[in-house]
Amino acid sequence: QKEVEQDPGPLSVPEGAIVSLNCTYSNSAFQYFMWYRQYSRKGPELLMYTYSSGNKEDGRFTAQVDKSSKYISLFIRDSQPSDSATYLCAMSGHAGGTSYGKLTFGQGTILTVHP
Amino acid sequence: DTEVTQTPKHLVMGMTNKKSLKCEQHMGHRAMYWYKQKAKKPPELMFVYSYEKLSINESVPSRFSPECPNSSLLNLHLHALQPEDSALYLCASSQDSASAELRTQYFGPGTRLLVL
């Protein structure tokens, strides 16, 4: 079993839709959670970062963490064609843990938003 | 400014060549990372430098040799690579690798490497 599971999709939605992207994890040492967006042939771009359970909002993006269920989500409201990319969840642990100093990534979800 | 730059953008090399990839950041970050990414896969960590010292080597073959000349620069020296080493090589940096909340990593655009 992978430490982080992410549905690779692909996911195709119409413009304006609400998109929900999800990851589950098994390592309870993970304390810090990130979402990256990666356009084709580019490096990953940090979208959201959170370290507590609950919601964090930034514009059209909301990151949600449920540590009790080991489940994180990224919601994109009013999706745009420019949101078409691969979305990667990533996690890291606290100092002293086995995941110290490392990011563990999900497989990435390919999202297409069509006009 | 959250920019990490990488050169070259593209590199084609033969299996007997020696080449280097370069990475630079001016955010005052003290941790820098090399990743390898194959198509449709997430990045795989190769090396971590913390305060200019190698802190993590993920059992990477010795044909990859990292170097951190100073806190802003990171190199990856390549020698006698194999065709299966063809990939996107990503550099990232973070404020610190010791304090988890400062560990948010910012990635460069990558160097696309093709080994013939």
Side-chain angles (χ1 to χ4, degrees):
Chain A
Q1 185 191 3
K2 292 193 177 80
E3 278 189 299
V4 180
E5 298 277 359
Q6 182 178 6
D7 186 342
L11 185 59
S12 181
V13 301
E15 184 174 355
I18 296 174
V19 176
S20 171
L21 304 166
N22 311 297
C23 289
T24 58
Y25 62 97
S26 56
N27 188 345
S28 57
F30 290 141
Q31 300 291 320
Y32 300 90
F33 306 92
M34 286 138 277
W35 286 96
Y36 287 88
R37 176 175 64 195
Q38 186 171 23
Y39 292 112
S40 182
R41 308 178 82 80
K42 302 285 187 187
E45 170 195 6
L46 180 67
L47 280 178
M48 301 284 287
Y49 162 81
T50 184
Y51 59 88
S52 57
S53 282
N55 294 353
K56 181 176 179 181
E57 195 172 311
D58 184 1
R60 296 186 295 112
F61 299 93
T62 299
Q64 192 173 77
V65 174
D66 182 347
K67 288 185 180 178
S68 62
S69 301
K70 296 190 177 68
Y71 186 88
I72 69 169
S73 299
L74 178 71
F75 297 97
I76 307 174
R77 288 184 299 282
D78 187 25
S79 56
Q80 302 295 309
S82 57
D83 294 327
S84 299
T86 297
Y87 288 80
L88 293 152
C89 64
M91 310 181 184
S92 69
H94 52 74
T98 56
S99 57
Y100 174 70
K102 301 181 188 181
L103 284 183
T104 301
F105 286 90
Q107 288 297 105
T109 299
I110 299 170
L111 171 68
T112 301
V113 181
H114 50 87
Chain B
D1 181 11
T2 54
E3 190 177 18
V4 177
T5 58
Q6 289 186 244
T7 55
K9 286 190 171 61
H10 303 277
L11 179 63
V12 179
M13 60 186 291
M15 288 190 282
T16 58
N17 291 157
K18 284 185 184 180
K19 297 285 184 185
S20 297
L21 310 184
K22 295 185 185 307
C23 174
E24 191 166 3
Q25 58 87 13
H26 293 289
M27 296 179 276
H29 288 176
R30 302 315 299 268
M32 296 185 78
Y33 309 77
W34 279 116
Y35 288 85
K36 174 182 176 180
Q37 187 177 27
K38 299 284 251 183
K40 298 193 190 304
K41 297 288 186 187
E44 294 174 39
L45 183 66
M46 299 174 73
F47 302 104
V48 180
Y49 272 83
S50 180
Y51 292 84
E52 299 159 51
K53 287 188 173 20
L54 183 65
S55 60
I56 296 178
N57 176 342
E58 290 285 275
S59 303
V60 178
S62 59
R63 57 185 184 269
F64 296 92
S65 175
E67 179 197 18
C68 190
N70 61 55
S71 60
S72 300
L73 290 173
L74 187 66
N75 297 323
L76 186 63
H77 303 297
L78 315 172
H79 174 52
L81 294 194
Q82 304 296 309
E84 59 264 30
D85 297 321
S86 299
L88 181 68
Y89 286 84
L90 294 162
C91 173
S93 71
S94 64
Q95 281 186 281
D96 196 301
S97 69
S99 170
E101 58 268 28
L102 300 179
R103 214 182 293 153
T104 307
Q105 294 182 26
Y106 297 88
F107 284 82
T111 293
R112 191 158 296 278
L113 174 67
L114 178 62
V115 182
L116 299 175

